[in-house]
Amino acid sequence: MSSLDKASLLYAALIHDVEHLGVPNVSLVKQSHELAKLYHDQSVAEMNSLAVGLELLQNPHFDIFVNLSPAERSQLRQNVIELVLSTDIADAYRRKRTFARIEEYSSSIDGSLDISTDIGKQILLSLLLRAADIGSSFQNFMTSKTWAQRYYTETNAWLLSEGRDIFSRELFFSDQISHMDNYVGNIVERLKTTKCIDETFLIVLQENFTANKNGWIEEGNSLLEKWEKDFRITYKASFLKEKEEKDEEKA
């Protein structure tokens, strides 16, 4: 893999969530948000992150790729766009296309992904960024559940802002299990299939993923009970503070 490929992956990782609004794309589309209109309801958050991240490179003060040739810059830009768009978990078509291409671009000799081709390299880079994007799922359970709670809080704040009730514990629990089974576990298996990743590293990913899933099955319901209580207390305090500030402004 070339230095340009590695630079593309690193830059895509740096910008893939820049200026994220903290709400899912489906909400932006439903609200007819200006960004949804601008990007025609397609991968709205990812498109916006790309626009911001790539625009930075037009500023001489932030252009870390100033020494690349025009051809190299064009290739890096193409790589970064494809990589950031691949992090849209809700884009089932793009995900299925990536997974299907692994076998298509694998060697007939040993079955490994042929990264001598541009598409083969793009598939591997995409899988690596997808894995990094959900990195908390591959770390220890303490770290994983901390990020899960942050997601729970962020999502519930959005639901309340739309006048809806917060996630039921049952639904959030089942969603987490489904995400692990249908997405996280799939990423691990696809990385194995490429035969391009160090086996020791893959073992660590698999062990942590399994431990996190088991931990969620064993402790998920009790964790959610506590998170819901904490969230309602925090939200109530925040709501009362906001009301007091508005009352003071009126006075």
Side-chain angles (χ1 to χ4, degrees):
M1 192 169 294
S2 70
S3 297
L4 187 64
D5 295 325
K6 295 174 184 177
S8 300
L9 180 60
L10 178 58
Y11 196 67
L14 286 171
I15 70 168
H16 82 282
D17 268 342
V18 67
E19 292 198 4
H20 197 292
L21 298 179
V23 295
N25 286 331
V26 66
S27 174
L28 298 175
V29 173
K30 180 181 176 182
Q31 295 171 351
S32 295
H33 192 280
E34 288 303 312
L35 290 177
K37 295 177 183 177
L38 179 62
Y39 299 117
H40 308 292
D41 298 345
Q42 302 299 308
S43 300
V44 180
E46 292 75 19
M47 287 287 198
N48 187 53
S49 294
L50 276 170
V52 174
L54 293 175
E55 181 64 25
L56 278 174
L57 299 180
Q58 303 304 310
N59 187 326
H61 296 292
F62 302 117
D63 186 5
I64 58 176
F65 302 115
V66 65
N67 291 322
L68 294 183
S69 69
E72 289 172 328
R73 288 181 72 93
S74 177
Q75 184 61 58
L76 180 134
R77 178 183 174 86
Q78 181 180 330
N79 290 348
V80 169
I81 291 172
E82 182 66 28
L83 287 170
V84 172
L85 289 179
S86 76
T87 63
D88 182 0
I89 294 178
D91 189 342
Y93 171 76
R94 186 178 293 272
R95 180 173 69 252
K96 290 177 180 178
R97 185 187 66 174
T98 298
F99 291 170
R101 281 181 158 186
I102 294 177
E103 183 175 349
E104 182 182 351
Y105 286 90
S106 293
S107 167
S108 59
I109 299 175
D110 61 2
S112 62
L113 181 65
D114 184 4
I115 57 174
S116 67
T117 66
D118 289 339
I119 294 180
K121 284 189 291 187
Q122 192 67 44
I123 292 170
L124 180 59
L125 292 174
S126 172
L127 287 173
L128 290 173
L129 186 56
R130 287 171 188 265
D133 187 37
I134 53 171
S136 63
S137 300
F138 299 121
Q139 299 181 49
N140 61 64
F141 185 55
M142 179 63 72
T143 300
S144 182
K145 67 182 181 182
T146 297
W147 282 99
Q149 183 178 13
R150 290 174 179 174
Y151 172 67
Y152 174 85
T153 302
E154 182 181 84
T155 303
N156 280 333
W158 161 63
L159 287 171
L160 289 176
S161 73
E162 291 206 326
R164 298 159 62 185
D165 196 10
I166 66 173
F167 254 123
S168 70
R169 292 199 293 269
E170 294 79 9
L171 179 58
F172 194 87
F173 179 88
S174 63
D175 276 0
Q176 286 295 98
I177 297 298
S178 176
H179 173 65
M180 292 180 187
D181 284 339
N182 299 321
Y183 190 78
V184 183
N186 239 329
I187 294 295
V188 177
E189 292 305 314
R190 300 302 176 176
L191 283 171
K192 289 179 182 177
T193 303
T194 67
K195 298 183 179 181
C196 296
I197 308 298
D198 180 76
E199 288 189 13
T200 303
F201 178 66
L202 287 174
I203 289 173
V204 172
L205 291 187
Q206 182 66 61
E207 288 179 345
N208 285 351
F209 162 65
T210 301
N212 285 330
K213 181 180 176 182
N214 291 338
W216 187 252
I217 292 173
E218 294 169 6
E219 301 181 34
N221 284 315
S222 59
L223 286 172
L224 285 169
E225 184 176 0
K226 180 180 184 304
W227 294 354
E228 181 178 327
K229 181 179 179 181
D230 290 346
F231 178 80
R232 290 188 183 279
I233 292 173
T234 302
Y235 176 74
K236 183 178 180 180
S238 176
F239 174 79
L240 290 174
K241 182 180 179 181
E242 184 177 340
K243 184 176 184 300
E244 288 175 359
E245 290 175 349
K246 289 182 178 179
D247 290 344
E248 289 177 0
E249 290 177 2
K250 291 179 180 179

